[in-house]
Amino acid sequence: MSKPRALYREKVTLTGNHAVALAVKLARVDLVSAYPITPQTSIVEKLSEYIEGGELKAQMVRVESEHSALAVAYGAALAGARVFTATSSHGLLYMHEWVHWFSRARVPGVMAVVTRTIGAPWNIWPDHSDFMDQRDTGWIMAFARDNQEVLDLTIQAFKVSEDERVFLPFMVGLEGFILGHTAMPVEVPAEDDVAEWLGERKQPYVVDGSFPLGVGGLTWPMETEEMFIDLHKSLRRAGLVFEEVDKEYGKLFGRSYGGPLECYRCTDAKYYFVTMGAWSGDAMDAVDFLRERGFALGLVRIRLYRPFPYDRIADIMGNARGVIVFDRSISFGASGPIYSDVVASLLKARFRGDAIGIIAGVGGVDVTSHDFSKIAERVLETIERGEPLPAIAWYHGGELAIVQH
Amino acid sequence: MSHSRNLALSIKAPISFPEIGVAGKTGSWRLEKPIVDNEKCVRCFLCEIYCPVNVVRVDREEGVSIDYEYCKGCGICANVCPHDAITMVEEG
Amino acid sequence: MLTEVILIGRGGQGAVTSATLLTAAASLEGLESQGFPFFGAERRGAPVAAFVRISSRPIRRHGMFEKGDVVVLLDARLAELEILERYSLRAGGILIVNTERRDPRLSKLISRTRAGRVFIVNATRIARELGLVVAGWPVVNTAILGAFSRATGLVSLDSVKRAVVEYFGGRLGRLNAEAVERSYRETREVVVLSVSLP
């Protein structure tokens, strides 16, 4: 597929969840394991419709828990199947053991995480707490901001995951309801083109009975550590592969997203928003508003969260006057997880500006472009007055409360 | 377990291949040795089936033979034998 | 220009499907669009809201909104419930109500919402006549879209019908498209004589 093909641009209106399901169908997976949980359920419901209608020739395995959902996906993937599952919140926590095992066994596979707040109390609204809870699992973790990106990212996830330089599972994040249940027009590539581009399933080893092979047996510390060093290197390499795949996809299907980061109005910016997920769109509208008010503001959106793009962040924002990092989850007792990674990146660039971490939208609280503008005005005016900023502030009920100096 | 005989992999995967004696000569771990009286043995194969380290063989003609190089002396064979044809004897 | 639409109905009337269909129709029209339910649980019979954004430019924002340029009431009796305190019409906006001309609630509704223009259609009767009844309830979510097309001119009748046919398919697609067509033709504008301000 060296020359760009005539683009097939069927445009259909899809919810984010149905965009995931359609991408999984286009990727021609062999197996879907499913256990329902709000707000993910409509993904596997749609996939079961595809399978029942003969549009997707895959096996649907219904299991009794999320723990088993990922275990089944793992088993099938070991045996050579292209696999997919999806979950949210407590379901993801329940399968957490398998999330680690999957990546440490170096098995390619794709899972959609339709984010939802962790309880107690029960809450079905979206924040990033469940997604961020998987931060240290060794999965490739990326997050979309609209339904088109959900579809494109899910397709690309299979390509990156099965790349021989990577061989790690891929987690696609999208907020429940905000993307999951929101309908938007989505351009859909032709299934044959997607299938041809993805090619045959690739994985490092196959357990298919052709020769005896043990997976994950007791291993000495030195050898274990060597495997984890290799996993880490592979995950870092996944950043380059992610970027390469994004470019290649752009040439073939007409859409690229800028690799690990999307930059909005960054060229002459002195101040930056850092965001991840759907609210980045609302924040971009706020950037436009604040530009009109004379603030040289840009926005950096994290698309790829693991591996974290430290160098890119340092290159773009190393000389910034101010950086405002928005986290939709909190590492209780510390900061938002994105904030700590961004600050680590800036440290390397000998950053001399001000940085603040804003916690917002936790528990599914709606955050609009008006909220972003309000927060930014207060922070930017503080910086321009030369006054010190707190490290972390929590935005709640229209107010910024300092939680850490 | 041996992790050295990897496939031609681009990465380090936690996989292993079965080999004889990957944990060394485990016969040296033995405190008691199973001794077989093949006159009593009825060739029921239970000892072969139950042996956790796969060192017992039953031949219809010859009876039971044990590979003492790897037998750890756990005594399961003696325990499952329905005719008391295997006795555990302290190593000298 | 961005148009924000709030559809207010009862759980089971199909307001969310209305929003999805309107999103699809706008896309067929070459516009950018976005449709979503009120985020949370919905219960049959309880008031629910669904939301649509339509624009000629890409829609980046996702946050919810409580003031609409267009408000669509799938059930006129909802006018008396608290849901209209939460969601309201921007001054001079368009109000579309599923009701009949002699509905005594209309004048109160008009003054309460400060609607600029008001359109009515009896979507319930259309749905019932076409047999679009699910579990005993006339499903008015498609018929009301004919009124939307007529009242706003944002999406053409053809696009709405196409969206409906593609969504339902087969006989149900044709019936719902007919509901849209009849509603489009039967929609009437109510003359707003004076807006009484509080």
Side-chain angles (χ1 to χ4, degrees):
Chain A
M1 289 176 76
S2 53
K3 63 176 192 302
R5 64 186 53 239
L7 295 178
Y8 174 79
R9 284 171 178 253
E10 191 199 359
K11 201 166 191 176
V12 289
T13 299
L14 296 171
T15 62
N17 281 357
H18 287 175
V20 172
L22 184 55
V24 171
K25 173 178 170 284
L26 299 181
R28 291 190 180 151
V29 298
D30 302 300
L31 178 133
V32 176
S33 57
Y35 190 80
I37 184 168
T38 300
Q40 167 282 126
T41 308
S42 56
I43 295 179
V44 291
E45 276 176 357
K46 184 50 92 177
L47 281 167
S48 72
E49 280 175 37
Y50 287 143
I51 292 170
E52 196 186 359
E55 290 175 77
L56 171 62
K57 287 177 181 52
Q59 196 148 357
M60 165 69 74
V61 183
R62 289 167 299 159
V63 291
E64 85 297 341
S65 75
E66 287 88 354
H67 191 272
S68 299
L70 200 56
V72 163
Y74 167 80
L78 280 190
R82 184 171 282 164
V83 298
F84 173 82
T85 192
T87 192
S88 301
S89 193
H90 289 260
L92 183 55
L93 302 197
Y94 191 30
M95 66 166 65
H96 184 71
E97 178 191 10
W98 274 106
V99 179
H100 275 282
W101 189 275
F102 210 112
S103 54
R104 288 167 197 253
R106 308 304 303 268
V107 182
V110 174
M111 169 159 68
V113 172
V114 187
T115 68
R116 165 183 160 183
T117 302
I118 297 170
W122 285 124
N123 177 308
I124 56 170
W125 290 271
D127 66 17
H128 292 169
S129 52
D130 51 358
F131 187 82
M132 287 305 186
D133 196 65
Q134 314 307 311
R135 187 186 66 172
D136 306 328
T137 56
W139 283 55
I140 304 154
M141 298 172 72
F143 217 103
R145 85 163 161 89
D146 62 24
N147 296 1
Q148 182 69 61
E149 192 180 7
V150 166
L151 179 111
D152 294 333
L153 201 55
T154 307
I155 293 170
Q156 292 168 20
F158 289 97
K159 186 79 171 174
V160 178
S161 174
E162 294 178 14
D163 190 291
E164 63 176 10
R165 292 163 290 176
V166 179
F167 283 149
L168 284 168
F170 197 122
M171 195 179 290
V172 177
L174 63 151
E175 285 97 351
F177 297 109
I178 301 177
L179 294 184
H181 284 61
T182 294
M184 296 180 81
V186 174
E187 276 182 14
V188 184
E191 184 167 327
D192 285 344
D193 291 350
V194 173
E196 190 188 331
W197 179 60
L198 289 180
E200 292 289 306
R201 158 83 175 177
K202 288 185 285 296
Q203 60 191 92
Y205 59 93
V206 182
V207 182
D208 59 0
S210 59
F211 60 95
L213 174 68
V215 182
L218 189 69
T219 301
W220 294 105
M222 280 296 277
E223 282 180 296
T224 303
E225 191 177 40
E226 280 163 21
M227 287 173 193
F228 296 158
I229 291 169
D230 187 69
L231 190 160
H232 179 71
K233 284 182 181 166
S234 299
L235 189 50
R236 294 302 306 168
R237 262 198 310 273
L240 299 173
V241 175
F242 182 85
E243 183 149 22
E244 199 180 289
V245 163
D246 177 48
K247 280 185 186 146
E248 200 178 303
Y249 189 89
K251 279 188 198 136
L252 292 169
F253 301 107
R255 285 177 302 278
S256 283
Y257 293 86
L261 301 174
E262 179 186 10
C263 288
Y264 182 69
R265 300 190 82 162
C266 287
T267 329
D268 58 339
K270 288 197 190 85
Y271 302 106
Y272 290 89
F273 277 170
V274 182
T275 57
M276 184 177 87
W279 71 358
S280 307
D282 303 78
M284 286 173 186
D285 282 358
V287 167
D288 288 353
F289 172 76
L290 290 156
R291 281 269 176 176
E292 282 169 27
R293 305 280 302 268
F295 293 107
L297 181 65
L299 181 145
V300 171
R301 177 171 69 95
I302 312 282
R303 297 188 65 234
L304 185 63
Y305 176 63
R306 284 292 180 269
F308 194 78
Y310 290 104
D311 294 345
R312 291 297 174 80
I313 298 258
D315 288 347
I316 297 166
M317 297 186 290
N319 294 318
R321 195 163 166 204
V323 174
I324 308 174
V325 184
F326 291 90
D327 269 286
R328 205 159 191 160
S329 66
I330 177 143
S331 174
F332 288 113
S335 68
I338 299 175
Y339 171 81
S340 53
D341 287 333
V342 169
V343 169
S345 313
L346 294 176
L347 200 63
K348 202 180 156 209
R350 298 177 187 284
F351 174 72
R352 302 287 296 271
D354 278 305
I356 181 170
I358 306 284
I359 314 292
V362 172
V365 170
D366 193 36
V367 180
T368 64
S369 64
H370 176 73
D371 295 312
F372 281 105
S373 302
K374 195 166 157 182
I375 295 165
E377 273 178 332
R378 279 197 50 189
V379 172
L380 298 181
E381 280 163 9
T382 306
I383 296 174
E384 293 198 344
R385 280 199 303 269
E387 291 169 14
L389 280 181
I392 312 290
W394 200 314
Y395 181 74
H396 178 76
E399 297 295 327
L400 265 182
I402 294 164
V403 291
Q404 195 179 314
H405 279 287
Chain B
M1 294 274 196
S2 163
H3 301 281
S4 54
R5 199 154 64 83
N6 268 8
L7 305 166
L9 293 186
S10 53
I11 51 115
K12 280 195 166 78
I15 56 174
S16 53
F17 305 90
E19 281 173 32
I20 291 172
V22 284
K25 301 278 190 216
T26 48
S28 67
W29 302 4
R30 201 169 53 235
L31 298 180
E32 287 183 323
K33 185 178 186 175
I35 303 294
V36 185
D37 181 350
N38 273 320
E39 295 298 313
K40 286 189 183 172
C41 172
V42 297
R43 320 293 194 253
C44 73
F45 287 80
L46 277 181
C47 53
E48 178 172 335
I49 293 164
Y50 273 88
C51 175
V53 291
N54 200 20
V55 296
V56 180
R57 288 290 175 272
V58 181
D59 183 273
R60 282 186 200 283
E61 300 298 322
E62 307 291 323
V64 177
S65 61
I66 296 174
D67 183 348
Y68 291 113
E69 222 168 359
Y70 297 108
C71 167
K72 299 176 188 172
C74 70
I76 287 176
C77 53
N79 214 290
V80 298
C81 178
H83 291 272
D84 294 328
I86 304 176
T87 319
M88 298 305 290
V89 178
E90 200 170 335
E91 285 283 351
Chain C
M1 203 192 77
L2 177 69
T3 303
E4 292 180 318
V5 184
I6 304 177
L7 297 129
I8 299 170
R10 294 178 184 277
Q13 271 184 329
V16 178
T17 307
S18 263
T20 306
L21 290 169
L22 196 49
T23 305
S27 175
L28 291 172
E29 204 74 16
L31 296 164
E32 298 291 336
S33 54
Q34 184 193 77
F36 54 96
F38 171 76
F39 301 150
E42 281 158 8
R43 296 147 300 170
R44 188 169 168 84
V48 297
F51 307 85
V52 180
R53 288 189 170 105
I54 299 172
S55 176
S56 51
R57 300 179 56 199
I59 301 165
R60 295 186 302 218
R61 62 180 59 193
H62 286 274
M64 313 246 312
F65 53 91
E66 295 182 344
K67 276 187 187 301
D69 303 294
V70 183
V71 167
V72 182
L73 273 184
L74 275 72
D75 182 337
R77 285 176 304 156
L78 291 168
E80 286 148 19
L81 300 180
E82 286 166 358
I83 192 154
L84 270 190
E85 283 165 24
R86 172 152 191 190
Y87 301 109
S88 57
L89 195 58
R90 291 203 175 98
I94 297 176
L95 178 71
I96 300 167
V97 191
N98 169 23
T99 189
E100 52 185 339
R101 188 175 287 273
R102 286 178 297 277
D103 191 334
R105 287 169 295 216
L106 262 179
S107 59
K108 195 175 157 200
L109 193 56
I110 291 165
S111 65
R112 186 172 170 188
T113 58
R114 300 197 217 170
R117 297 181 73 187
V118 180
F119 294 83
I120 57 167
V121 70
N122 196 333
T124 304
R125 183 179 45 73
I126 294 171
R128 199 168 267 141
E129 282 172 10
L130 288 169
L132 294 171
V133 177
V134 175
W137 285 15
V139 181
V140 297
N141 59 352
T142 49
I144 202 74
L145 294 180
F148 183 90
S149 170
R150 177 73 177 273
T152 66
L154 269 174
V155 287
S156 67
L157 174 62
D158 278 351
S159 295
V160 175
K161 282 168 68 181
R162 219 179 112 195
V164 164
V165 167
E166 283 175 11
Y167 185 88
F168 292 99
R171 181 180 159 273
L172 212 52
R174 286 195 299 278
L175 270 177
N176 279 287
E178 197 184 331
V180 172
E181 170 109 32
R182 280 181 59 176
S183 149
Y184 182 88
R185 305 213 178 289
E186 293 177 22
T187 298
R188 297 286 175 263
E189 181 163 9
V190 176
V191 181
V192 182
L193 290 174
S194 65
V195 178
S196 56
L197 298 174

